[in-house]
Amino acid sequence: MTWSKGPEHFIGEWRGGLGCYIYPTSRFKTVTMYAAWIRPLSLQDRAYGAVLPQVLKRGTSQWPSRRLMETRLEELYGASFRADVGKLGDKQLMAFHLNVVNGQFLPKKPDTVTAALDFLTDVLDRPRLVDGLFDAAVVEQEKAQVKRQIAALINDKGQYALARLLELVADGAPFGLRKWGTPEEVDAVDAQSLTEFRHRVRQEAPFLFLMVGDVDPDQAARLIQERFGGQRGTLTTVVPYQGQHQGKTVIESESVSQGKLALAYRTGLTAKDADYPALMMYSGILGGFAHSKLFMNVREKASLAYYAYSRLDPAVALMIVGAGIEFSHYEAARQIIEEQVEAMRQGQFTDEEMAFTLKGYVNDILSEEDSPGQLIARQVERQLVGGGLSGQALIDALSRVRREDIERVAQGVHLDTVYFLTNKGEPGHGT
Amino acid sequence: MEHKTVVWEQLGERPVRQRLETGLEVVVLPKPGLKKTYATYATHYGSIDSHFRPPGAQAPVHVPDGIAHFLEHKMYEKPEGRDVFERFAELGAYTNAYTEYTTTTFLFSATSEVEECLKTLLTLVEEPYFTPENVEKEKGIIEQEIRMYWDMPGDRLRSNLMHALYHANPVRLDIAGTVDSIRTITPDDLYLCYETFYHPSNMVIFVAGDVDPAHIIDLIHAWEARRGLAAKAPIERIFPEEPPTVAQKRVEQVMPVALPLWLMGFKDTDTGLTGDALLRRELVMSLFWQMVLGPSSSLFHDLYEAGLINERFSSHYASSKTYGLSMLGGETPDPERLEAEVTPRLLTEPLRLPDLERIKKKELGEFVGLFENLEDLAYAFNAYYFRGVDLARVPELLDDITLEDLEEARQRHCREPQRAVSIVRPPRS
């Protein structure tokens, strides 16, 4: 299937719990598919959601082992396939990514796209079962892998600090939960309960299917509808953060060489709010780019950090500020960061900072359109937030943001929680 | 000016290239329909080039380790009012730079005002401005960067393996240098390295995007003509003699990791290849590792079933004129057992024709896919360019490789004296 004059945006709709969106374009040499079951993140069954994608990678009815699946992917000119558990706000996503070279660029022009879709359908709908259940040995192996993933979070100190910060902000609310669950929760999974979980998910969970590449959108949508149509639950959107910490500060220590400072600010705005573009401008001026206040002041002027940034969580209504600093610089770095936020609140930013930030966003938004993976990530985010602008519409909205708009949203940004990861033996205080 | 267009029919690509009088090579790949233009300005100069004889000089010089990376940082420093970061921001473009063992690359990515961005990139790379004050200030920033790497277990793992594999080749050292070595860097050191290695004859510009190649090349040509630089004698790079054996069989470090990390390396003893010969070896080694230890191999299968590896376990080969090495590894609960299972089988796993044919398809698919990601493409192009390799040769060379080539390569490569292991372990609880 080919399509050479695409409309260059996602076309599709939700029907019976299946959201099917196709982005036809001839810009890419590959076709990218994304499929996900979307569920509420909960303590009760998040571990099942973490183990299931792993087990589905271990065999289908047609390719009944991990090794045969890999062989098939190699045969499809090195198609890349990933199945993993993701998280966006209070949602858990069991996601499947497949990227294959479009046959028109290969000798003898094979139909790699249909073959790849067949492979993905096999994974989602026809897993290898033994007497109607997942293979118990496979389930045990994959549980062990998931438990290792859980333990491995500490390997990346920056990510670890952000996960701890979010837990502290959430205070038990679902959006603070880690997507993998705990080792004990994983232990409770077995072949019987996981098979039942899969049946429930397949029948009930809203299912999103996205495709980007040189494909005929009608034909692709029909194929997807035929294979995955049904009656599932309706997608609900992410619930934003409602709490009220007043600068709660937690300092923990590990054996690290560089301190990780992370601050969470409430913003009261998610991507679907009319004021969100103004908040994007706010965060961009503060810490979104190399010309931003945080980078210029914390790194360049004070040499306190190797990196310092701010970024928005479009679903949960939080802004996160992060910096990698020397242990003894904790107070100085925190003070400079808080001063920059205060400067924003008082409207202390220049027209030039606004102009640079707008241009930076325009570049980011347009560049995103050259990357199938980024187009897909943004579309998933829009579905889960329940709206929000993208592409040219977002560029237009950002260009209309005035100084007063940024000053207005600045009044709604409040420090919620601070987390500092320092070295063992370092008090986290100093000059 | 006449420019040479190459047509890659199967891929639907038409790169245009031109070598200017100063020796600067310019390559433009038109990508109609893409929103982004991605440009790199790279020099054949990296962390290992710390001992050299500048053209025209009598005596060779030694410069502090980490200076290539320091210089990359410092190129962004300009006199008051001429800030290139600010200029790129004003143009709405993204800029970055990175330093590796043998190259330093400056880049921008932009969706408008490509001409202005290009001029800013040229300014960035062509106008050094080092003062005692701005050099001193940078030391704090780079020290933080070095410390950040110390906390990255994967980075330590690789760094320790390079120390173990090599006795003398500076590839054994960290690219950023050490906290002590960078403290000794002076503006004079930086100017010396700049004058030596940032000469156009040692550099290449690569531009990909929805652009008119002739226009881009003419613009760069006119700009470069104004600099009035003459072609220059080649740089004499001095590398120590590297013994065929490894420096250390084994190196271990304790860090706060959940599971041990294990990485094994083999170094080449016969180096010095360039062009087709080098590309061919890279392809042979890549096919070999995928066949013997790729996700569809029986060795990978056995290790995975035994719970010794996870799906991210990987192996690859990398080479340059002065070194070549393979690395394989990942997270494992039992490094000793993993090593005992893997090592002997590397030499005995059967190499079969159907597997080779299939892995070649994979390699070809990945080559085609490269042309959709401009960052990866530019990276591959530059890396190959300085090794005298033409990227377009991949499909043809791939086609010719036989099982005998793979068998010969493994007998030469996977030998005990050339093998070292690096392990990062969690603390005992």
Side-chain angles (χ1 to χ4, degrees), chain A residues 131-280:
Chain A
D131 300 328
L133 297 180
F134 285 123
D135 184 335
V138 165
V139 172
E140 289 310 312
Q141 282 174 342
E142 294 309 318
K143 281 164 62 180
Q145 296 284 9
V146 170
K147 285 196 278 185
R148 288 181 194 170
Q149 296 264 16
I150 294 169
L153 181 63
I154 187 71
N155 291 6
D156 183 334
K157 306 300 178 301
Q159 285 302 316
Y160 176 79
L162 292 179
R164 283 292 295 132
L165 176 69
L166 212 56
E167 277 176 344
L168 292 164
V169 173
D171 255 347
F175 77 85
L177 297 178
R178 297 186 190 178
K179 61 186 178 183
W180 301 102
T182 61
E184 295 72 31
E185 290 167 36
V186 174
D187 280 333
V189 177
D190 62 22
Q192 174 82 38
S193 58
L194 187 68
T195 310
E196 286 161 10
F197 177 78
R198 172 184 173 266
H199 281 300
R200 232 175 20 250
V201 164
R202 200 165 150 255
Q203 280 167 9
E204 297 166 10
F207 180 69
L208 181 61
F209 199 111
L210 308 177
M211 197 185 289
V212 176
D214 197 356
V215 296
D216 178 331
D218 297 328
Q219 194 189 341
R222 201 168 51 245
L223 282 173
I224 292 162
Q225 215 28 269
E226 275 169 25
R227 290 162 191 233
F228 305 108
Q231 286 304 319
R232 299 185 179 83
T234 309
L235 181 68
T236 56
T237 54
V238 172
V239 178
Y241 175 53
Q242 316 277 8
Q244 290 285 323
H245 299 301
Q246 306 296 333
K248 169 169 90 174
T249 300
V250 174
I251 297 177
E252 292 178 339
S253 58
E254 267 296 333
S255 167
V256 291
S257 306
Q258 186 184 66
K260 302 288 177 189
L261 178 58
L263 301 85
Y265 289 82
R266 295 187 295 277
T267 66
L269 296 170
T270 72
K272 67 171 183 288
D273 290 302
D275 258 346
Y276 193 74
L279 183 66
M280 284 178 68

Side-chain angles (χ1 to χ4, degrees), chain B residues 356-412:
Chain B
L356 177 62
E357 296 303 325
R358 192 180 68 247
I359 300 291
K360 279 186 179 180
K361 280 171 116 180
K362 175 178 188 222
E363 195 82 18
L364 182 65
E366 283 170 0
F367 176 70
V368 174
L370 193 59
F371 286 82
E372 123 176 348
N373 182 321
L374 303 186
E375 286 85 347
D376 292 352
L377 179 63
Y379 182 86
F381 173 83
N382 289 327
Y384 279 143
Y385 175 78
F386 291 128
R387 291 157 173 76
V389 172
D390 180 358
L391 195 59
R393 300 276 295 144
V394 169
E396 199 183 321
L397 289 182
L398 196 58
D399 215 32
D400 283 344
I401 293 169
T402 64
L403 284 178
E404 289 69 40
D405 294 326
L406 270 60
E407 188 57 57
E408 191 209 328
R410 92 158 142 195
Q411 297 302 336
R412 199 181 48 216

Side-chain angles (χ1 to χ4, degrees), chain A residues 185-398:
Chain A
E185 290 167 36
V186 174
D187 280 333
V189 177
D190 62 22
Q192 174 82 38
S193 58
L194 187 68
T195 310
E196 286 161 10
F197 177 78
R198 172 184 173 266
H199 281 300
R200 232 175 20 250
V201 164
R202 200 165 150 255
Q203 280 167 9
E204 297 166 10
F207 180 69
L208 181 61
F209 199 111
L210 308 177
M211 197 185 289
V212 176
D214 197 356
V215 296
D216 178 331
D218 297 328
Q219 194 189 341
R222 201 168 51 245
L223 282 173
I224 292 162
Q225 215 28 269
E226 275 169 25
R227 290 162 191 233
F228 305 108
Q231 286 304 319
R232 299 185 179 83
T234 309
L235 181 68
T236 56
T237 54
V238 172
V239 178
Y241 175 53
Q242 316 277 8
Q244 290 285 323
H245 299 301
Q246 306 296 333
K248 169 169 90 174
T249 300
V250 174
I251 297 177
E252 292 178 339
S253 58
E254 267 296 333
S255 167
V256 291
S257 306
Q258 186 184 66
K260 302 288 177 189
L261 178 58
L263 301 85
Y265 289 82
R266 295 187 295 277
T267 66
L269 296 170
T270 72
K272 67 171 183 288
D273 290 302
D275 258 346
Y276 193 74
L279 183 66
M280 284 178 68
M281 289 297 292
Y282 169 97
S283 174
I285 295 168
L286 177 66
F289 301 92
H291 65 263
S292 302
K293 288 184 185 294
L294 289 178
F295 191 86
M296 295 308 285
N297 289 288
V298 186
R299 172 171 155 148
E300 292 292 300
K301 283 201 190 123
S303 289
L304 286 178
Y306 177 62
Y307 66 85
Y309 66 87
S310 67
R311 65 171 174 75
L312 296 173
D313 184 318
V316 177
L318 283 173
M319 177 177 74
I320 307 296
V321 172
I325 60 174
E326 222 178 88
F327 309 114
S328 61
H329 290 161
Y330 164 67
E331 282 177 351
R334 178 171 172 173
Q335 188 186 339
I336 295 189
I337 290 168
E338 293 197 47
E339 277 168 14
Q340 304 313 308
V341 174
E342 185 54 32
M344 290 300 297
R345 198 188 317 278
Q346 293 181 7
Q348 290 167 15
F349 49 86
T350 63
D351 291 346
E352 190 178 63
E353 287 175 285
M354 282 180 67
F356 286 9
T357 297
L358 176 61
K359 285 188 173 168
Y361 276 127
V362 171
N363 190 42
D364 286 355
I365 293 163
L366 291 175
S367 299
E368 203 169 275
E369 305 201 1
D370 287 350
S371 158
Q374 286 182 30
L375 285 170
I376 283 171
R378 183 52 59 103
Q379 179 69 1
V380 171
E381 182 186 299
R382 288 190 62 198
Q383 296 295 325
L384 290 179
V385 175
L389 303 170
S390 63
Q392 193 56 47
L394 179 56
I395 291 174
D396 293 344
L398 288 166

